[in-house]
Amino acid sequence: LPIWNFFQRILPFFLVGMFSIRNNIFFKYAWIGIAVSLLIVDCNVIYHFFEQGHLRPITMFNSPNRLGAFLILLLPFVFGGILNYKDDLILKFFGIIVFVLGIISLIISYSRGAMLGIILGIFICFVVIEYRKCNLRNFLLNIVAGIFICVLCALFIYMFFPEMISRSYDIERVYLWQSAIRIFLDFPILGVGAGNFNEVYLNGYINTFAKEPNLVTPHNIYLWFASERGLVAVLPFIMMIIYQISIFSKAVFTSDNKINIWACCGLIVIVGMSVHGLVDTTMNNRTYQLMYWLLYGLSCYSIIYKEQNNE
């Protein structure tokens, strides 16, 4: 049963391969589907925002962090389609509207992990592109400039929106992570078993200053895998992420030295979800994984398609 469940979640990757290898039009219609998906999410977020009258509304995802995680997946690809289909004015206009609404939805979600993930994903993609196309001096100057801009933005946000940087419950997360690390160190190979985190957490590992005893995960995908499944699970998971980042880092340029937009989108998504995973466990959600493997397949098969067709 677990194997079948896993196969279901990665099935979109293979379905994309079946239709995309020799059919460039597939990418266009796949992008339209992604943009429509984001539009549905945007409308749902904005409706709940006005209905509830506050930031971080309960949307179709029942969690602001889950909403932010899905926006990490969709926003880069919608923006990539705007660039890829810039000559089609209707698609370009549609994409811009959906993307702007998506940014508004991300702000409404108030998900710090998602925002930081998107920013770092874009920054890493920028670093890779600059490294591939510039000499060392220009590369370093551009990176320093990028870091300087990011620091200025962080300072501006902290001055006017301090809750975007620090919140009252952050120390609870620290206590939780400390406990998860202790559990992992005591059960490093196989962990304490899937679904057993809270039981073990309450049985001698909860911090005396912690005020939330009913947490079933450590709000960190890596510590969750490490504490419940041990090195057997967390090492392959980390290796998979590194491998995927490596694939897209090498493929941001095609053989004729043009930027592969879909590979860049894939790189931003993987970096973004990896960062978001430091503060949440949405990555293990079935719906999230279905969308992730669909988009991962789109990025991977775009590389193959461009190589086969010398684009």
Side-chain angles (χ1 to χ4, degrees):
L1 184 59
I3 295 176
W4 170 243
N5 289 337
F6 176 75
F7 178 75
Q8 283 181 315
R9 298 181 185 205
I10 66 171
L11 183 60
F13 174 84
F14 300 105
L15 293 178
V16 171
M18 290 174 58
F19 295 104
S20 66
I21 291 295
R22 300 184 182 279
N23 185 8
N24 188 39
I25 198 69
F26 170 83
F27 294 98
K28 179 178 180 178
Y29 289 110
W31 178 79
I32 293 174
I34 293 167
V36 170
S37 299
L38 180 56
L39 179 61
I40 293 171
V41 173
D42 294 340
C43 292
N44 181 263
V45 173
I46 293 171
Y47 168 76
H48 280 86
F49 171 69
F50 284 106
E51 181 187 48
Q52 297 178 25
H54 58 78
L55 294 174
R56 313 204 85 195
I58 300 300
T59 61
M60 66 173 72
F61 300 104
N62 293 319
S63 167
N65 286 330
R66 287 185 180 181
L67 167 62
F70 271 84
L71 291 174
I72 288 176
L73 296 180
L74 299 176
L75 281 171
F77 278 89
V78 170
F79 185 75
I82 294 172
L83 298 178
N84 202 52
Y85 304 115
K86 59 185 177 182
D87 295 330
D88 189 321
L89 293 181
I90 295 177
L91 286 184
K92 181 179 179 181
F93 183 69
F94 172 65
I96 290 173
I97 292 175
V98 173
F99 181 76
V100 170
L101 291 175
I103 294 296
I104 293 172
S105 297
L106 182 61
I107 294 171
I108 290 174
S109 76
Y110 228 48
S111 174
R112 294 172 297 176
M115 294 180 189
L116 182 61
I118 285 282
I119 292 170
L120 288 182
I122 294 171
F123 180 73
I124 294 299
C125 186
F126 167 74
V127 168
V128 172
I129 291 174
E130 289 298 310
Y131 176 75
R132 293 284 301 275
K133 75 177 184 181
C134 293
N135 60 44
L136 181 60
R137 180 176 177 274
N138 290 337
F139 168 71
L140 292 176
L141 287 175
N142 289 335
I143 296 307
V144 170
I147 294 173
F148 181 71
I149 292 171
C150 290
V151 171
L152 284 181
C153 290
L155 290 174
F156 175 83
I157 292 171
Y158 185 72
M159 288 174 60
F160 294 97
F161 307 98
E163 285 194 4
M164 292 292 294
I165 305 296
S166 177
R167 295 175 189 163
S168 58
Y169 56 77
D170 288 345
I171 191 63
E172 285 285 328
R173 296 283 177 87
V174 175
Y175 295 151
L176 190 60
W177 296 339
Q178 290 173 344
S179 298
I181 292 172
R182 288 172 54 210
I183 292 173
F184 166 67
L185 293 176
D186 287 344
F187 304 91
I189 306 301
L190 299 176
V192 297
N196 294 329
F197 176 81
N198 184 257
E199 181 181 349
V200 177
Y201 175 61
L202 295 177
N203 220 350
Y205 289 93
I206 185 171
N207 191 293
T208 54
F209 297 103
K211 299 177 181 179
E212 297 183 41
N214 298 319
L215 299 170
V216 296
T217 75
H219 278 280
N220 180 306
I221 192 71
Y222 308 100
L223 292 178
W224 189 27
F225 283 170
S227 59
E228 286 198 351
R229 299 168 176 85
L231 292 172
V232 171
V234 74
L235 280 183
F237 178 65
I238 293 174
M239 290 172 63
M240 180 192 74
I241 291 175
I242 294 174
Y243 176 69
Q244 292 176 342
I245 290 175
S246 173
I247 288 176
F248 293 136
S249 296
K250 295 176 182 177
V252 293
F253 283 98
T254 60
S255 56
D256 57 354
N257 213 33
K258 294 180 179 179
I259 292 179
N260 183 342
I261 292 175
W262 302 126
C264 291
C265 293
L267 178 59
I268 293 171
V269 163
I270 294 173
V271 173
M273 77 167 196
S274 301
V275 173
H276 189 265
L278 293 170
V279 294
D280 200 58
T281 58
T282 301
M283 244 191 271
N284 203 43
N285 179 270
R286 180 178 182 274
T287 306
Y288 180 92
Q289 289 191 5
L290 288 171
M291 178 61 75
Y292 169 75
W293 285 106
L294 173 70
L295 298 177
Y296 179 67
L298 190 69
S299 297
C300 286
Y301 290 114
S302 75
I303 298 171
I304 299 173
Y305 178 86
K306 290 180 181 297
E307 288 180 351
Q308 290 183 346
N309 295 276
N310 296 318
E311 291 190 6

